Amino acid sequence: MSDSPRPVSLDEAGHRYLERQLETAAEFGLGDPGPRRILDVGCGWGATLRHLADVFPNCPRLDGINVSAEQLAYCARKMPGTDRVRLYLCDAADIAELPDSDQPYDLVVARGAITHFPPRVYESAAAALARRMRPGGLLVVSETLYSEEFLAGQQPSPVDADHLALEHRKSLRYLTDVLRHTGFRIRDERVLPTQEDAARWVLDLKSNIDVHFPQGASPPLEAIRNMAGALAVALLRHEASVHSIVAERRDT
């Protein structure tokens, strides 16, 4: 059964499920006075970071990191005028090097970023996050993960054809095992949204590219177009699912 009573836009869908994740996280300690420092890993074009700034108006510090200077520049232009938000051109594996290490993160959000990380980068990033978060701090992850059987049958694409690092597919077991090994406790894990809703939004993404680039798009957009069709099929076959994970930084 679909989670959505009516069709919604991609942006609205993203905000809706972020809200559901934050409601779940609140059960494990995001209460009054709320987080004092937040990190958005792979902040992209800034939609999640802007939403977090609205949801937590009393949070004095929100950081966003990305490896794309173009996306960070766009994010800076769209961010409301405030000195609360700071943007960093930073690889996820280098999170431990971010400024102000004496101010640990209370909340870290990673939505759709881990899928792009090679395994060694993900493992380094998880360890770095553990060092920079306060005990009891929460990590909120939203990620497309694949069944072990599906991954066993996949052939890797040539490196020069993987324009957006989309071939670093991961399983739920691998993702959560790394978190546990690096100092986190899994507090909540669920499929969110449903496969049907996720497939519909992935196909909406493909449709947007089809409409705006009918004669062909740039290699990165073509990679997204091709990925979207294959991912929608995998979702509907239950070979892939979008998982919401809330993990707590354990006491050292």
Side-chain angles (χ1 to χ4, degrees):
M1 181 176 178
S2 174
D3 286 341
S4 299
R6 60 179 177 82
V8 295
S9 69
L10 290 168
D11 285 344
E12 185 179 349
H15 288 162
R16 173 179 296 182
Y17 287 106
L18 175 57
E19 285 297 324
R20 289 185 62 177
Q21 287 189 289
L22 293 176
E23 288 171 5
T24 300
E27 299 174 12
F28 304 109
L30 278 184
D32 189 44
R36 306 300 296 166
R37 191 175 183 187
I38 295 172
L39 175 65
D40 183 3
V41 178
C43 61
W45 303 104
T48 293
L49 192 55
R50 291 192 297 273
H51 192 70
L52 290 169
D54 290 339
V55 171
F56 299 105
N58 296 321
C59 179
R61 178 79 176 268
L62 300 96
D63 296 344
I65 66 167
N66 207 328
V67 294
S68 168
E70 178 186 6
Q71 286 184 321
L72 283 177
Y74 179 91
C75 187
R77 291 195 300 270
K78 294 295 183 179
M79 199 63 61
T82 174
D83 59 2
R84 296 193 301 140
V85 178
R86 304 185 189 183
L87 303 174
Y88 299 96
L89 187 65
C90 175
D91 188 281
D94 298 325
I95 286 171
E97 306 305 316
L98 287 170
D100 304 316
S101 60
D102 59 325
Q103 301 174 27
Y105 290 103
D106 303 294
L107 172 65
V108 176
V109 175
R111 307 183 81 232
I114 294 173
T115 192
H116 300 285
F117 299 165
R120 61 176 180 77
V121 172
Y122 168 53
E123 292 161 16
S124 296
L129 280 175
R131 293 197 296 273
R132 292 301 301 267
M133 293 178 67
R134 68 166 176 82
L138 297 177
L139 169 63
V140 176
V141 175
S142 178
E143 197 54 76
T144 301
L145 303 172
Y146 293 80
S147 70
E148 304 280 353
E149 295 78 12
F150 179 87
L151 293 176
Q154 289 298 291
Q155 297 297 322
S157 297
V159 173
D160 60 357
D162 189 14
H163 298 284
L164 296 177
L166 296 171
E167 294 296 328
H168 303 299
R169 299 181 180 92
K170 300 168 183 69
S171 69
L172 175 64
R173 181 173 65 179
Y174 168 71
L175 188 146
T176 54
D177 279 353
V178 169
L179 292 179
R180 292 186 180 98
H181 179 73
T182 52
F184 291 91
R185 175 170 52 247
I186 306 302
R187 300 302 304 267
D188 187 83
E189 182 278 313
R190 65 184 73 186
V191 173
L192 182 71
T194 65
Q195 269 95 341
E196 292 77 11
D197 274 348
R200 176 158 56 83
W201 290 317
V202 167
L203 291 176
D204 283 348
L205 176 62
K206 179 179 182 299
S207 177
N208 287 341
I209 298 174
D210 291 341
V211 168
H212 290 94
F213 301 94
Q215 304 304 319
S218 64
L221 283 177
E222 282 298 330
I224 293 175
R225 190 205 309 260
N226 294 333
M227 174 276 297
L231 177 56
V233 172
L235 288 164
L236 293 174
R237 288 179 175 173
H238 288 232
E239 296 168 334
S241 304
V242 181
H243 287 259
S244 168
I245 299 164
V246 177
E248 180 183 14
R249 177 67 172 94
R250 295 196 305 264
D251 290 337
T252 55

